[in-house]
Amino acid sequence: MTLNSATETREDFGSGVELALAAGNQLFNQRNVSRYADDVQQGVDLVANKISRTEKPFTGITPDGLAPLVEAVDLDSPIEDMPAALAELEELYLRDAVYFHDSKYAAHLNCPVVIPALVGEAILSAVNSSLDTWDQSAGATLIERRLIRWTADRLGLGAAADGVFTSGGSQSNLQALLIARNQAVATLRRDPTLRAARLPSLLGRLRIFTSDVSHFSIRKSASLLGLGYDAVLPVECDANQRMKPAALESAMAASAKRGEVPMAVVATAGTTDFGSFDPLPDLARLSREYRSWLHVDAAYGGGLMTSLRHRHLLDGTGEADSVTVDYHKTFFQPVSSSAVLVRDRTMLNHVTYHADYLNPESAAREDIPNQVDKSLQTTRRFDALKLWLTLRTLGADGIGVLLDEAIDLAHHAGRMFAADPGFELAAPVQLSTLVFRYCPDGLDGDAADAVNLHIRRTLASSGEAMIAGTKSGGRHYLKLTLLNAETTLGDVREILGMIRRAGDDYLAGGTR
Ligand SMILES: *Cc1c(COP(=O)(O)O)cnc(C)c1O
């Protein structure tokens, strides 16, 4: 049977039964497994076909070019079958999507993904376990716990560590800072005059110290936690964009003198733009001295725990009170997959709430593993399965090799750009990003800003290569984020050529 429009079915009373039958055929169950396998296979074939024909990361489509097609779809009139729906989707989405696997995709922290993780993704969405409680997940909960244990061990967080998967680094940072905030408040409440104070009245003195190139989610978290953006005190960096311990020390001393409470020091292990690593041992020492929580944001650098040659960059992470790791960045996992870890598992009690219908206190007493006790989310995907299948097939060393290749490429690329007099690097390559600008003949100031902005726009609209832009010292820079082990120095050389051509055209007044 076919359903051409909602109106038709509404007019024909008898077709209500048919409609229910047809809809029932779409339910994933024992009766419909062959339809499931066929339809999913069609989706897989569509993607496989598309990927095999993709020759550049993007088509350069604009929102104005694409929006009318999406707007024209009548969502109240389903089309007949999966092949037709997939053909429509090809036009609306796949044709113009941005392809991170392409060797000239070098913009943001999006990695190419590994195949075992895609198998995991297919399984986890079909079985559809929810990781809030044992009675909605069973083995999935145990697998997630094993992976948290594995991650904590690799980071050297110790036997009392624990954590939970999250939707991403921003959520991991928020949860870590929520715990740090509640821990600081608990300390304040030891003062008898503050014991009965309401929470909001205790937040005004709390401060967070982080470098001026840390991720914006730290500031956003401060705002969400009721502290306000200005509770985050930015600490100066050295020329390599690493937090200066002396600057942190004087910022903490000045803050203490003003009667403020050092809620947290947030160190970054792999800053988003520069891939720089804050000096963790120094920051750990200062955090202890001022009785502050130490959070390490290793959303980007965390993958180094699998690296065979660069793992030392994470040295000192084991001293943190909490750590953010994004598997969907440097572990080659599909979005989303992240975790927040704490050195002392009892700290997760700060996010525990017992609901009678879901995770009553009696369940905790019986040691039933209900992950919702540790999470900001309730219903939650079994994202851990993707990492599990990756570790069980490719293995941790396999992840590490892919990451090491990308890091090597970035260092080679850095030397290539540094040797070219037309380019200026904002900082040396430290992980797998390259921040630079095109400034031939000492071009400077507003003129350099204009040409680099133009270059980025030109490349994005051609779609031949995707690069990012950022600011450093108030000036516009370009950025390459290299996470693809299959990208070659030849690819980077081609991107450099495109940048130079776009820049020279602009400077010659050609394409304004
Ligand atoms: C990407 C990134 C984040 C945010 O992670 P999402 O997964 O995008 O939410 C946080 N911190 C750093 C250093 C990052 O690079």
Side-chain angles (χ1 to χ4, degrees), residues 109 167-173 213-218 268-273 297-301 324 326 328-329 336-338:
L109 273 166
S167 64
S170 303
Q171 199 199 10
S172 295
N173 285 341
V213 295
S214 71
H215 194 261
F216 70 86
S217 57
I218 305 304
T268 313
T271 57
T272 312
D273 274 348
D297 179 358
Y300 177 15
T324 287
D326 258 4
H328 61 214
K329 284 179 179 163
S336 55
S337 187
S338 176

Side-chain angles (χ1 to χ4, degrees), residues 48-100:
N49 187 12
K50 177 67 200 166
I51 296 296
S52 68
R53 286 181 293 114
T54 302
E55 275 163 3
K56 55 184 198 172
F58 187 41
T59 61
I61 190 93
T62 60
D64 285 347
L66 203 49
L69 299 185
V70 177
E71 284 307 309
V73 171
D74 179 0
L75 288 174
D76 293 314
S77 304
I79 43 182
E80 292 183 14
D81 52 13
M82 190 51 73
L86 291 176
E88 178 186 85
L89 189 68
E90 158 111 54
E91 294 278 296
L92 299 179
Y93 171 53
L94 288 160
R95 189 183 65 197
D96 297 296
V98 179
Y99 287 99
F100 302 152

Side-chain angles (χ1 to χ4, degrees), residues 126-149:
V127 180
N128 199 28
S129 297
S130 180
L131 274 276
D132 37 345
T133 54
W134 164 259
D135 72 359
Q136 301 174 72
S137 59
T141 283
L142 303 181
I143 285 174
E144 170 167 301
R145 290 182 158 216
R146 271 300 298 277
L147 288 168
I148 289 290
R149 184 75 254 149

Side-chain angles (χ1 to χ4, degrees), residues 285-403:
R285 179 179 52 77
L286 287 167
S287 301
R288 272 194 302 273
E289 198 173 303
Y290 284 87
R291 295 174 196 285
S292 173
W293 186 272
L294 176 63
H295 175 63
V296 174
D297 179 358
Y300 177 15
L304 291 170
M305 72 178 74
T306 66
S307 163
L308 307 178
R309 289 186 280 115
H310 304 282
R311 202 176 301 179
H312 63 275
L313 290 169
L314 289 176
D315 286 354
T317 313
E319 297 189 58
D321 295 298
S322 57
V323 183
T324 287
V325 174
D326 258 4
Y327 306 106
H328 61 214
K329 284 179 179 163
T330 40
F331 289 75
F332 309 101
Q333 300 294 297
V335 176
S336 55
S337 187
S338 176
V340 61
L341 298 108
V342 290
R343 146 198 301 297
D344 171 0
R345 67 163 63 92
T346 65
M347 291 295 123
L348 291 169
N349 296 343
H350 283 300
V351 299
T352 308
Y353 188 97
H354 291 290
D356 290 337
Y357 76 94
L358 190 67
N359 60 331
E361 257 184 288
S362 57
R365 277 196 300 274
E366 290 166 40
D367 268 342
I368 294 171
N370 287 332
Q371 294 291 82
V372 70
D373 294 353
K374 310 174 188 177
S375 176
L376 299 186
Q377 289 168 269
T378 306
T379 305
R380 189 162 55 81
R381 286 163 56 84
F382 181 24
D383 284 316
L385 180 59
K386 299 178 284 193
L387 180 62
W388 181 266
L389 281 182
T390 303
L391 292 179
R392 299 308 295 143
T393 54
L394 179 65
D397 289 353
I399 298 172
V401 163
L402 292 176
L403 182 55

